[in-house]
Amino acid sequence: MSVRILSADQMRWADMTTTEAGISGFELMDRAGRAVADAVLDYMPDFGRVVIVIGPGNNGGDGFAAARYLRSRRIPVTLVMLVPLDTLGGDTLMHAELAREAGAKLRDASSDRCFAELNRWLLRAVMVVDAMFGTGLTRPLSGRLAKAVAQINQADRPVLSIDIASGLNADSGEVMGDAVKADFTLPVAAYKWGYWMGVGPEFSGRLLPASAIGVEDETLCRAWAAVPDPSVSKGSTVLRSACFIHSDMIGQAWPKRHRLSHKGNFGRVWIFGGSAGFTGAPRLASLGALAAGAGLVSVVCPDDVYPVVASGSLETMVHSQSSGAWMREGDGLIDQADAIVAGPGWGCAQTTLLARLLDVDRPLLLDADALNMIAADAALQSRVSERDSLTVLTPHPGEAARLLSCTVDDIQSDRKKAVLKLCKRYACWVVLKGNETLIASPQGDVMLNPSGSPQLAVAGSGDVLAGMLGRQLAVCYRNDTDVGMMLGAGVGLHGEAGEQNGWYLAGELAGMVAGLRQGIERKHGD
Ligand SMILES: NC(=O)C1=CN([C@@H]2O[C@H](COP(=O)(O)OP(=O)(O)OC[C@H]3O[C@@H](n4cnc5c(N)ncnc54)[C@H](O)[C@@H]3O)[C@@H](O)[C@H]2O)[C@@H](O)CC1
Ligand SMILES: Nc1ncnc2c1ncn2[C@@H]1O[C@H](COP(=O)(O)OP(=O)(O)O)[C@@H](O)[C@H]1O
Ligand SMILES: [K+]
């Protein structure tokens, strides 16, 4: 299954490259149509009529091809054409003719008189297929096309959109005029950003696996370099690749535990955080690290909160900041760290210690107040971008706005652009949190996390994530594991835990993470 994400122009380039390599546009449409028919058969609630609403471009061609395959399974099909047949392209026309020969009813709704029938046709359907527009939408829907969308949405029938819900911009996820509210979207050949950007998730319904229509994976991968991503600007890293986080990636990060393994095998994470009024954050981060499988977790917190943090930490070793032993030159305990997390609940008076940590040759994750201190201090900013060891920033949109000196709206209006700008500015890995968390490498490899839920919008869930990712970085340091895979798996597991029932508060989320992680490790043993 492809997990690639392309822009509309990149997809067009990949389609064109594929046809130049010898697979005709007619054949690509045919394969897309077969995949649509299979999906309709899988998800139609009952045997009955399928109404396919056809637009002016190749998306409509996929709809005609689907009609023929549905007819071959004896499904009654009505094809409703929103533009006159004689305006359609050659491949689409050929598929229209074949669909008619196969017994699909063609209904011309391109004139006002016939359009009045649309509602009646829609109400006869057990399922509606939206083949109005795909990646070729260039301007807002208006007139009869916008009315057709409104009627599809009012008809209250399950809707499957081919490639993308019509009216949704395939790159930005903006609604252009109006958009179909799909129950299912079947991506053609690869995924499009519009499913997740903007309001895309509210219109895309359930995303089905992308249909393999014969566009080679290698062609999809070349498209990123061949056609610039629309979010790339002068101040951002160039997007080199894009995929979404999937269960295989999550599985790879937690192999089966060896029978004789002990806690020393699973990485040591050091967490710097906590301040008066914020004693829970480092504890939650340490729970996150342990839940993700870290062997040993140490917390260093300011002296005034040491008694509180230490007394509330059963599984963690806690040091007070002034005790000093942990950072003694040569034999300090911190030399044993495989990764360091700095920031949860730390307050903004820790610039000296933060500067010291930036010099430690270990993977370093900077979260929360560490990010706020960096945002306010040009010297720290230079030290971050000049660091040789692995550095990861985990801002939420508010912190990201501070780091880029812009507004939260600027960040949220194009999150992909924001994450690529942060990479360029700080020359490190960035995890931009929020609904559909984005991860980007300094080289411009972007991963999108489709899992998670608003359940995660509870105090402390980000602290749990920081600790989890600290554990992931510890594994990278010890085993030289792929950083993108480990961060992607950490963010993916955090999101999956967030989707489960049975937890309410951030501490319980860590318990949920631990349970899921153990389940994955045990599965490898079957
Ligand atoms: N070879 C290919 O390009 C393939 C394309 N495929 C399908 O074709 C789709 C892309 O095809 P197209 O590029 O033809 O794009 P669309 O099918 O999205 O339609 C584009 C057409 O609609 C018109 N249009 C755009 N916005 C409009 C608006 N607001 N009001 C009225 N007309 C408007 C454009 O002028 C153009 O004629 C994909 O999403 C996919 O479903 C698949 O069949 C696979 C192969
Ligand atoms: N609406 C949402 N949908 C999906 N994930 C969310 C949502 N709101 C928050 N999250 C996730 O929850 C976590 C919250 O992190 P953060 O904002 O740092 O919270 P805190 O500082 O309270 O720990 C992030 O991983 C974020 O991606
Ligand atoms: K569509």
Side-chain angles (χ1 to χ4, degrees):
M1 181 186 89
S2 175
V3 291
R4 314 290 179 199
I5 312 175
L6 268 64
S7 72
D9 285 348
Q10 288 161 353
M11 193 63 240
R12 201 165 299 118
W13 180 90
D15 282 338
M16 195 188 67
T17 305
T18 306
T19 48
E20 283 168 6
I23 305 182
S24 68
F26 176 87
E27 180 62 29
L28 291 176
M29 227 172 238
D30 193 73
R31 293 178 189 180
R34 183 162 45 194
V36 171
D38 287 344
V40 169
L41 289 164
D42 281 346
Y43 295 106
M44 61 196 293
D46 206 352
F47 182 86
R49 182 162 294 276
V50 174
V51 171
I52 306 180
V53 186
I54 304 276
N58 291 332
N59 198 255
D62 297 350
F64 283 124
R68 191 176 91 254
Y69 282 105
L70 287 170
R71 286 302 303 139
S72 74
R73 306 292 291 269
R74 302 191 182 286
I75 306 287
V77 177
T78 303
L79 288 157
V80 180
M81 290 171 301
L82 297 173
V83 293
L85 199 58
D86 56 14
T87 60
L88 298 176
D91 294 335
T92 304
L93 265 183
M94 275 194 276
H95 277 294
E97 196 46 49
L98 291 173
R100 189 193 340 237
E101 284 170 15
K105 283 190 198 166
L106 262 65
R107 297 285 181 249
D108 180 359
S110 65
S111 69
D112 284 343
R113 191 174 54 81
C114 305
F115 188 80
E117 298 291 305
L118 177 60
N119 204 33
R120 203 165 53 83
W121 294 326
L122 287 171
L123 291 178
R124 285 191 192 152
V126 295
M127 188 160 200
V128 174
V129 174
D130 152 32
M132 287 175 62
F133 292 98
T135 48
L137 187 72
T138 48
R139 54 188 186 278
L141 297 183
S142 58
R144 207 177 290 131
L145 293 161
K147 277 191 204 151
V149 167
Q151 291 201 13
I152 290 172
N153 289 343
Q154 277 158 22
D156 199 26
R157 296 290 184 273
V159 178
L160 183 144
S161 285
I162 303 179
D163 208 14
I164 187 154
S166 296
L168 204 57
N169 182 300
D171 292 335
S172 66
E174 278 169 277
V175 168
M176 298 178 67
D178 198 358
V180 168
K181 273 218 164 210
D183 296 280
F184 306 93
T185 294
L186 180 72
V188 177
Y191 291 79
K192 319 289 156 11
W193 287 102
Y195 309 142
W196 299 288
M197 300 288 118
V199 291
E202 289 156 43
F203 288 83
S204 303
R206 174 167 164 194
L207 272 186
L208 303 179
S211 58
I213 61 168
V215 182
E216 298 283 345
D217 188 55
E218 190 243 335
T219 307
L220 296 174
C221 293
R222 279 198 292 137
W224 293 307
V227 183
D229 186 275
S231 294
V232 169
S233 65
K234 209 165 140 249
S236 70
T237 298
V238 171
L239 183 138
R240 186 171 73 172
S241 70
C243 69
F244 66 87
I245 296 164
H246 50 99
S247 54
D248 287 355
M249 187 187 277
I250 298 175
Q252 279 174 51
W254 287 278
K256 185 181 180 205
R257 291 194 166 202
H258 189 275
R259 185 172 61 86
L260 298 178
S261 54
H262 58 86
K263 59 183 182 287
N265 300 128
F266 296 114
R268 294 161 198 252
V269 179
W270 278 63
I271 295 165
F272 290 75
S275 59
F278 300 93
T279 50
R283 276 148 60 185
L284 287 167
S286 62
L287 285 182
L290 290 162
L296 291 159
V297 178
S298 302
V299 169
V300 178
C301 63
D303 296 12
D304 56 338
V305 295
Y306 170 77
V308 181
V309 176
S311 68
S313 302
L314 292 181
E315 303 90 347
T316 313
M317 292 159 284
V318 184
H319 306 272
S320 71
Q321 210 161 298
S322 72
S323 69
W326 51 271
M327 210 167 183
R328 202 162 42 212
E329 205 65 44
D331 64 346
L333 289 170
I334 198 176
D335 293 342
Q336 300 165 1
D338 295 313
I340 299 171
V341 172
W346 217 11
C348 284
Q350 293 282 6
T351 47
T352 311
L353 182 51
L354 176 55
R356 270 183 93 184
L357 292 178
L358 285 166
D359 282 341
V360 177
D361 180 20
R362 289 292 186 283
L364 175 62
L365 184 141
L366 300 163
D367 187 42
D369 287 328
L371 300 173
N372 295 330
M373 282 186 271
I374 290 163
D377 186 327
L380 286 176
Q381 289 169 17
S382 312
R383 289 175 86 139
V384 170
S385 52
E386 284 158 14
R387 237 182 140 246
D388 288 331
S389 315
L390 178 57
T391 312
V392 182
L393 312 184
T394 56
H396 59 50
E399 289 152 356
R402 273 170 234 142
L403 288 166
L404 288 176
S405 310
C406 64
T407 65
V408 172
D409 281 350
D410 294 334
I411 300 290
Q412 295 295 68
S413 64
D414 189 342
R415 289 170 53 82
K416 177 162 35 111
K417 184 186 228 163
V419 81
L420 290 168
K421 274 187 165 182
L422 285 162
C423 282
K424 174 91 170 183
R425 179 103 161 69
Y426 294 94
C428 62
W429 284 83
V430 177
V431 177
L432 177 58
K433 296 184 291 192
N435 194 267
E436 275 86 40
T437 291
L438 290 173
I439 304 175
S441 76
Q443 292 75 30
D445 302 295
V446 175
M447 284 179 286
L448 178 145
N449 183 40
S451 71
S453 87
Q455 299 295 110
L456 284 169
V458 293
S461 65
D463 302 325
V464 172
L465 179 70
M468 290 176 69
L469 297 185
R471 180 270 174 185
Q472 302 299 81
L473 295 182
V475 174
C476 292
Y477 181 73
R478 289 174 79 93
N479 306 341
D480 205 17
T481 317
D482 183 81
V483 178
M485 184 274 281
M486 290 304 282
L487 290 177
V491 169
L493 189 69
H494 181 262
E496 284 189 5
E499 287 175 3
Q500 312 291 315
N501 293 323
W503 72 276
Y504 304 96
L505 305 170
E508 295 162 325
L509 171 67
M512 185 58 74
V513 168
L516 291 181
R517 187 259 305 163
Q518 285 190 353
I520 296 168
E521 288 171 346
R522 291 204 183 107
K523 207 157 123 197
H524 286 295
D526 291 345

mmCIF file of all heavy atoms in Angstrom, residues 239-272:
data_model
loop_
_atom_site.group_PDB
_atom_site.id
_atom_site.type_symbol
_atom_site.label_atom_id
_atom_site.label_comp_id
_atom_site.label_asym_id
_atom_site.label_seq_id
_atom_site.Cartn_x
_atom_site.Cartn_y
_atom_site.Cartn_z
ATOM 1 N N LEU A 239 10.713 20.541 0.338
ATOM 2 C CA LEU A 239 10.123 19.238 0.687
ATOM 3 C C LEU A 239 10.750 18.154 -0.189
ATOM 4 O O LEU A 239 10.754 18.258 -1.405
ATOM 5 C CB LEU A 239 8.607 19.280 0.475
ATOM 6 C CG LEU A 239 7.866 18.008 0.868
ATOM 7 C CD1 LEU A 239 6.577 18.353 1.598
ATOM 8 C CD2 LEU A 239 7.529 17.153 -0.341
ATOM 9 N N ARG A 240 11.336 17.133 0.458
ATOM 10 C CA ARG A 240 12.010 16.075 -0.293
ATOM 11 C C ARG A 240 11.155 14.816 -0.419
ATOM 12 O O ARG A 240 11.238 14.079 -1.387
ATOM 13 C CB ARG A 240 13.341 15.746 0.414
ATOM 14 C CG ARG A 240 14.195 14.781 -0.344
ATOM 15 C CD ARG A 240 15.579 14.644 0.244
ATOM 16 N NE ARG A 240 15.584 13.899 1.488
ATOM 17 C CZ ARG A 240 16.691 13.514 2.116
ATOM 18 N NH1 ARG A 240 17.883 13.837 1.625
ATOM 19 N NH2 ARG A 240 16.634 12.840 3.235
ATOM 20 N N SER A 241 10.346 14.566 0.585
ATOM 21 C CA SER A 241 9.444 13.413 0.509
ATOM 22 C C SER A 241 8.306 13.631 1.493
ATOM 23 O O SER A 241 8.422 14.454 2.405
ATOM 24 C CB SER A 241 10.174 12.109 0.860
ATOM 25 O OG SER A 241 10.476 12.092 2.241
ATOM 26 N N ALA A 242 7.217 12.915 1.294
ATOM 27 C CA ALA A 242 6.083 13.044 2.222
ATOM 28 C C ALA A 242 5.329 11.727 2.293
ATOM 29 O O ALA A 242 5.033 11.107 1.260
ATOM 30 C CB ALA A 242 5.146 14.157 1.764
ATOM 31 N N CYS A 243 5.054 11.293 3.499
ATOM 32 C CA CYS A 243 4.250 10.081 3.665
ATOM 33 C C CYS A 243 3.457 10.222 4.956
ATOM 34 O O CYS A 243 3.652 11.179 5.707
ATOM 35 C CB CYS A 243 5.129 8.836 3.736
ATOM 36 S SG CYS A 243 6.100 8.726 5.226
ATOM 37 N N PHE A 244 2.529 9.308 5.189
ATOM 38 C CA PHE A 244 1.861 9.360 6.479
ATOM 39 C C PHE A 244 2.296 8.187 7.344
ATOM 40 O O PHE A 244 2.835 7.195 6.850
ATOM 41 C CB PHE A 244 0.340 9.490 6.354
ATOM 42 C CG PHE A 244 -0.350 8.316 5.744
ATOM 43 C CD1 PHE A 244 -0.748 7.245 6.527
ATOM 44 C CD2 PHE A 244 -0.621 8.284 4.398
ATOM 45 C CE1 PHE A 244 -1.401 6.167 5.980
ATOM 46 C CE2 PHE A 244 -1.271 7.204 3.827
ATOM 47 C CZ PHE A 244 -1.659 6.149 4.614
ATOM 48 N N ILE A 245 2.102 8.361 8.626
ATOM 49 C CA ILE A 245 2.558 7.358 9.594
ATOM 50 C C ILE A 245 1.553 6.216 9.607
ATOM 51 O O ILE A 245 0.351 6.442 9.711
ATOM 52 C CB ILE A 245 2.702 8.016 10.981
ATOM 53 C CG1 ILE A 245 3.795 9.080 10.908
ATOM 54 C CG2 ILE A 245 2.998 6.981 12.053
ATOM 55 C CD1 ILE A 245 3.766 10.059 12.074
ATOM 56 N N HIS A 246 2.032 4.999 9.471
ATOM 57 C CA HIS A 246 1.148 3.851 9.313
ATOM 58 C C HIS A 246 1.546 2.749 10.290
ATOM 59 O O HIS A 246 2.606 2.831 10.917
ATOM 60 C CB HIS A 246 1.212 3.344 7.867
ATOM 61 C CG HIS A 246 2.627 3.148 7.394
ATOM 62 N ND1 HIS A 246 3.247 1.945 7.378
ATOM 63 C CD2 HIS A 246 3.539 4.058 6.985
ATOM 64 C CE1 HIS A 246 4.483 2.083 6.960
ATOM 65 N NE2 HIS A 246 4.696 3.360 6.716
ATOM 66 N N SER A 247 0.710 1.741 10.379
ATOM 67 C CA SER A 247 0.914 0.744 11.437
ATOM 68 C C SER A 247 2.219 -0.039 11.259
ATOM 69 O O SER A 247 2.835 -0.437 12.249
ATOM 70 C CB SER A 247 -0.279 -0.204 11.513
ATOM 71 O OG SER A 247 -0.504 -0.743 10.246
ATOM 72 N N ASP A 248 2.684 -0.228 10.018
ATOM 73 C CA ASP A 248 3.956 -0.959 9.833
ATOM 74 C C ASP A 248 5.105 -0.202 10.485
ATOM 75 O O ASP A 248 6.000 -0.789 11.096
ATOM 76 C CB ASP A 248 4.293 -1.094 8.341
ATOM 77 C CG ASP A 248 3.394 -2.099 7.664
ATOM 78 O OD1 ASP A 248 2.598 -2.734 8.377
ATOM 79 O OD2 ASP A 248 3.477 -2.225 6.424
ATOM 80 N N MET A 249 5.051 1.139 10.331
ATOM 81 C CA MET A 249 6.107 1.962 10.918
ATOM 82 C C MET A 249 6.079 1.830 12.439
ATOM 83 O O MET A 249 7.113 1.681 13.093
ATOM 84 C CB MET A 249 5.895 3.425 10.503
ATOM 85 C CG MET A 249 7.007 4.344 10.914
ATOM 86 S SD MET A 249 6.599 6.063 10.562
ATOM 87 C CE MET A 249 7.030 6.200 8.854
ATOM 88 N N ILE A 250 4.877 1.848 12.982
ATOM 89 C CA ILE A 250 4.748 1.755 14.433
ATOM 90 C C ILE A 250 5.258 0.387 14.914
ATOM 91 O O ILE A 250 5.978 0.285 15.901
ATOM 92 C CB ILE A 250 3.286 2.012 14.862
ATOM 93 C CG1 ILE A 250 2.888 3.441 14.448
ATOM 94 C CG2 ILE A 250 3.092 1.819 16.364
ATOM 95 C CD1 ILE A 250 1.438 3.800 14.685
ATOM 96 N N GLY A 251 4.923 -0.650 14.136
ATOM 97 C CA GLY A 251 5.348 -2.009 14.513
ATOM 98 C C GLY A 251 6.865 -2.148 14.553
ATOM 99 O O GLY A 251 7.417 -2.821 15.429
ATOM 100 N N GLN A 252 7.535 -1.486 13.598
ATOM 101 C CA GLN A 252 9.000 -1.638 13.509
ATOM 102 C C GLN A 252 9.725 -1.102 14.743
ATOM 103 O O GLN A 252 10.827 -1.521 15.049
ATOM 104 C CB GLN A 252 9.520 -0.832 12.322
ATOM 105 C CG GLN A 252 9.391 -1.501 10.974
ATOM 106 C CD GLN A 252 9.813 -0.519 9.887
ATOM 107 O OE1 GLN A 252 10.881 0.072 9.954
ATOM 108 N NE2 GLN A 252 8.952 -0.331 8.907
ATOM 109 N N ALA A 253 9.117 -0.131 15.416
ATOM 110 C CA ALA A 253 9.819 0.559 16.496
ATOM 111 C C ALA A 253 9.853 -0.256 17.791
ATOM 112 O O ALA A 253 10.612 0.071 18.700
ATOM 113 C CB ALA A 253 9.169 1.912 16.758
ATOM 114 N N TRP A 254 9.019 -1.282 17.878
ATOM 115 C CA TRP A 254 8.970 -2.072 19.117
ATOM 116 C C TRP A 254 9.090 -3.558 18.802
ATOM 117 O O TRP A 254 8.097 -4.295 18.806
ATOM 118 C CB TRP A 254 7.679 -1.771 19.901
ATOM 119 C CG TRP A 254 7.746 -0.431 20.534
ATOM 120 C CD1 TRP A 254 8.371 -0.112 21.718
ATOM 121 C CD2 TRP A 254 7.213 0.800 20.025
ATOM 122 N NE1 TRP A 254 8.249 1.232 21.967
ATOM 123 C CE2 TRP A 254 7.543 1.823 20.951
ATOM 124 C CE3 TRP A 254 6.496 1.144 18.888
ATOM 125 C CZ2 TRP A 254 7.179 3.148 20.772
ATOM 126 C CZ3 TRP A 254 6.133 2.463 18.702
ATOM 127 C CH2 TRP A 254 6.475 3.446 19.634
ATOM 128 N N PRO A 255 10.313 -4.015 18.490
ATOM 129 C CA PRO A 255 10.496 -5.444 18.201
ATOM 130 C C PRO A 255 10.285 -6.281 19.455
ATOM 131 O O PRO A 255 10.197 -5.748 20.565
ATOM 132 C CB PRO A 255 11.944 -5.518 17.715
ATOM 133 C CG PRO A 255 12.608 -4.314 18.259
ATOM 134 C CD PRO A 255 11.556 -3.261 18.451
ATOM 135 N N LYS A 256 10.227 -7.568 19.251
ATOM 136 C CA LYS A 256 10.036 -8.483 20.384
ATOM 137 C C LYS A 256 11.194 -8.326 21.383
ATOM 138 O O LYS A 256 12.343 -8.183 20.966
ATOM 139 C CB LYS A 256 10.026 -9.909 19.842
ATOM 140 C CG LYS A 256 9.720 -10.937 20.886
ATOM 141 C CD LYS A 256 9.746 -12.332 20.318
ATOM 142 C CE LYS A 256 9.414 -13.268 21.450
ATOM 143 N NZ LYS A 256 9.908 -14.584 21.304
ATOM 144 N N ARG A 257 10.868 -8.371 22.641
ATOM 145 C CA ARG A 257 11.928 -8.291 23.644
ATOM 146 C C ARG A 257 12.594 -9.656 23.806
ATOM 147 O O ARG A 257 11.913 -10.675 23.892
ATOM 148 C CB ARG A 257 11.349 -7.847 24.993
ATOM 149 C CG ARG A 257 10.902 -6.404 24.951
ATOM 150 C CD ARG A 257 10.645 -5.845 26.311
ATOM 151 N NE ARG A 257 10.546 -4.389 26.198
ATOM 152 C CZ ARG A 257 10.737 -3.545 27.208
ATOM 153 N NH1 ARG A 257 11.001 -3.993 28.408
ATOM 154 N NH2 ARG A 257 10.639 -2.250 27.020
ATOM 155 N N HIS A 258 13.925 -9.634 23.857
ATOM 156 C CA HIS A 258 14.660 -10.887 24.033
ATOM 157 C C HIS A 258 14.376 -11.451 25.422
ATOM 158 O O HIS A 258 14.217 -10.693 26.388
ATOM 159 C CB HIS A 258 16.165 -10.615 23.869
ATOM 160 C CG HIS A 258 16.976 -11.860 23.815
ATOM 161 N ND1 HIS A 258 17.411 -12.514 24.939
ATOM 162 C CD2 HIS A 258 17.395 -12.590 22.753
ATOM 163 C CE1 HIS A 258 18.078 -13.605 24.582
ATOM 164 N NE2 HIS A 258 18.081 -13.667 23.250
ATOM 165 N N ARG A 259 14.337 -12.783 25.503
ATOM 166 C CA ARG A 259 14.021 -13.450 26.770
ATOM 167 C C ARG A 259 14.928 -12.976 27.903
ATOM 168 O O ARG A 259 14.512 -12.819 29.047
ATOM 169 C CB ARG A 259 14.167 -14.964 26.557
ATOM 170 C CG ARG A 259 13.756 -15.841 27.728
ATOM 171 C CD ARG A 259 13.765 -17.307 27.314
ATOM 172 N NE ARG A 259 15.088 -17.751 26.891
ATOM 173 C CZ ARG A 259 16.030 -18.202 27.711
ATOM 174 N NH1 ARG A 259 15.798 -18.283 29.004
ATOM 175 N NH2 ARG A 259 17.208 -18.584 27.255
ATOM 176 N N LEU A 260 16.194 -12.735 27.603
ATOM 177 C CA LEU A 260 17.150 -12.384 28.657
ATOM 178 C C LEU A 260 17.374 -10.878 28.774
ATOM 179 O O LEU A 260 18.336 -10.442 29.390
ATOM 180 C CB LEU A 260 18.496 -13.081 28.372
ATOM 181 C CG LEU A 260 18.423 -14.607 28.369
ATOM 182 C CD1 LEU A 260 19.781 -15.199 28.024
ATOM 183 C CD2 LEU A 260 17.963 -15.132 29.726
ATOM 184 N N SER A 261 16.512 -10.104 28.155
ATOM 185 C CA SER A 261 16.752 -8.658 28.174
ATOM 186 C C SER A 261 16.549 -8.097 29.590
ATOM 187 O O SER A 261 15.829 -8.668 30.405
ATOM 188 C CB SER A 261 15.842 -7.956 27.168
ATOM 189 O OG SER A 261 14.506 -8.298 27.403
ATOM 190 N N HIS A 262 17.222 -6.992 29.853
ATOM 191 C CA HIS A 262 17.069 -6.307 31.148
ATOM 192 C C HIS A 262 16.966 -4.818 30.897
ATOM 193 O O HIS A 262 17.197 -4.349 29.777
ATOM 194 C CB HIS A 262 18.239 -6.631 32.072
ATOM 195 C CG HIS A 262 19.558 -6.251 31.496
ATOM 196 N ND1 HIS A 262 20.095 -5.003 31.605
ATOM 197 C CD2 HIS A 262 20.422 -6.977 30.740
ATOM 198 C CE1 HIS A 262 21.246 -4.957 30.984
ATOM 199 N NE2 HIS A 262 21.478 -6.144 30.429
ATOM 200 N N LYS A 263 16.631 -4.061 31.954
ATOM 201 C CA LYS A 263 16.306 -2.647 31.738
ATOM 202 C C LYS A 263 17.445 -1.855 31.099
ATOM 203 O O LYS A 263 17.215 -0.898 30.370
ATOM 204 C CB LYS A 263 15.823 -1.987 33.036
ATOM 205 C CG LYS A 263 16.781 -2.020 34.196
ATOM 206 C CD LYS A 263 16.139 -1.399 35.424
ATOM 207 C CE LYS A 263 17.063 -1.362 36.611
ATOM 208 N NZ LYS A 263 17.286 -2.681 37.237
ATOM 209 N N GLY A 264 18.677 -2.330 31.318
ATOM 210 C CA GLY A 264 19.827 -1.632 30.738
ATOM 211 C C GLY A 264 19.843 -1.686 29.218
ATOM 212 O O GLY A 264 20.537 -0.908 28.563
ATOM 213 N N ASN A 265 19.055 -2.621 28.640
ATOM 214 C CA ASN A 265 19.033 -2.735 27.177
ATOM 215 C C ASN A 265 18.139 -1.703 26.510
ATOM 216 O O ASN A 265 18.154 -1.581 25.295
ATOM 217 C CB ASN A 265 18.496 -4.124 26.740
ATOM 218 C CG ASN A 265 19.322 -5.264 27.245
ATOM 219 O OD1 ASN A 265 18.808 -6.189 27.851
ATOM 220 N ND2 ASN A 265 20.610 -5.195 27.002
ATOM 221 N N PHE A 266 17.300 -1.022 27.278
ATOM 222 C CA PHE A 266 16.205 -0.294 26.638
ATOM 223 C C PHE A 266 16.335 1.224 26.686
ATOM 224 O O PHE A 266 15.377 1.940 26.479
ATOM 225 C CB PHE A 266 14.866 -0.749 27.234
ATOM 226 C CG PHE A 266 14.598 -2.190 26.947
ATOM 227 C CD1 PHE A 266 14.556 -3.134 27.946
ATOM 228 C CD2 PHE A 266 14.420 -2.612 25.636
ATOM 229 C CE1 PHE A 266 14.338 -4.462 27.667
ATOM 230 C CE2 PHE A 266 14.202 -3.941 25.342
ATOM 231 C CZ PHE A 266 14.168 -4.877 26.364
ATOM 232 N N GLY A 267 17.512 1.688 26.969
ATOM 233 C CA GLY A 267 17.752 3.120 26.827
ATOM 234 C C GLY A 267 17.514 3.898 28.104
ATOM 235 O O GLY A 267 16.635 3.575 28.906
ATOM 236 N N ARG A 268 18.369 4.897 28.288
ATOM 237 C CA ARG A 268 18.283 5.761 29.476
ATOM 238 C C ARG A 268 17.924 7.160 29.011
ATOM 239 O O ARG A 268 18.634 7.738 28.194
ATOM 240 C CB ARG A 268 19.637 5.824 30.185
ATOM 241 C CG ARG A 268 20.062 4.513 30.788
ATOM 242 C CD ARG A 268 21.568 4.532 31.045
ATOM 243 N NE ARG A 268 22.046 3.170 31.219
ATOM 244 C CZ ARG A 268 22.425 2.661 32.386
ATOM 245 N NH1 ARG A 268 22.399 3.394 33.462
ATOM 246 N NH2 ARG A 268 22.838 1.409 32.468
ATOM 247 N N VAL A 269 16.852 7.655 29.573
ATOM 248 C CA VAL A 269 16.370 8.984 29.183
ATOM 249 C C VAL A 269 16.507 9.920 30.385
ATOM 250 O O VAL A 269 16.145 9.558 31.504
ATOM 251 C CB VAL A 269 14.888 8.927 28.737
ATOM 252 C CG1 VAL A 269 14.376 10.322 28.361
ATOM 253 C CG2 VAL A 269 14.720 7.968 27.561
ATOM 254 N N TRP A 270 17.056 11.097 30.139
ATOM 255 C CA TRP A 270 17.164 12.127 31.188
ATOM 256 C C TRP A 270 16.220 13.258 30.862
ATOM 257 O O TRP A 270 16.208 13.763 29.732
ATOM 258 C CB TRP A 270 18.609 12.629 31.277
ATOM 259 C CG TRP A 270 19.435 11.703 32.102
ATOM 260 C CD1 TRP A 270 19.726 10.408 31.829
ATOM 261 C CD2 TRP A 270 20.051 11.999 33.354
ATOM 262 N NE1 TRP A 270 20.481 9.853 32.828
ATOM 263 C CE2 TRP A 270 20.706 10.818 33.783
ATOM 264 C CE3 TRP A 270 20.114 13.130 34.161
ATOM 265 C CZ2 TRP A 270 21.412 10.755 34.980
ATOM 266 C CZ3 TRP A 270 20.836 13.069 35.354
ATOM 267 C CH2 TRP A 270 21.472 11.876 35.762
ATOM 268 N N ILE A 271 15.451 13.659 31.867
ATOM 269 C CA ILE A 271 14.436 14.702 31.642
ATOM 270 C C ILE A 271 14.731 15.898 32.547
ATOM 271 O O ILE A 271 14.908 15.733 33.766
ATOM 272 C CB ILE A 271 13.024 14.136 31.921
ATOM 273 C CG1 ILE A 271 12.708 13.038 30.884
ATOM 274 C CG2 ILE A 271 11.962 15.244 31.885
ATOM 275 C CD1 ILE A 271 11.548 12.169 31.221
ATOM 276 N N PHE A 272 14.805 17.061 31.958
ATOM 277 C CA PHE A 272 15.016 18.310 32.702
ATOM 278 C C PHE A 272 13.732 19.108 32.655
ATOM 279 O O PHE A 272 13.289 19.488 31.566
ATOM 280 C CB PHE A 272 16.165 19.116 32.085
ATOM 281 C CG PHE A 272 17.498 18.471 32.311
ATOM 282 C CD1 PHE A 272 17.868 17.348 31.573
ATOM 283 C CD2 PHE A 272 18.366 18.948 33.276
ATOM 284 C CE1 PHE A 272 19.083 16.720 31.806
ATOM 285 C CE2 PHE A 272 19.583 18.332 33.518
ATOM 286 C CZ PHE A 272 19.946 17.214 32.776
#
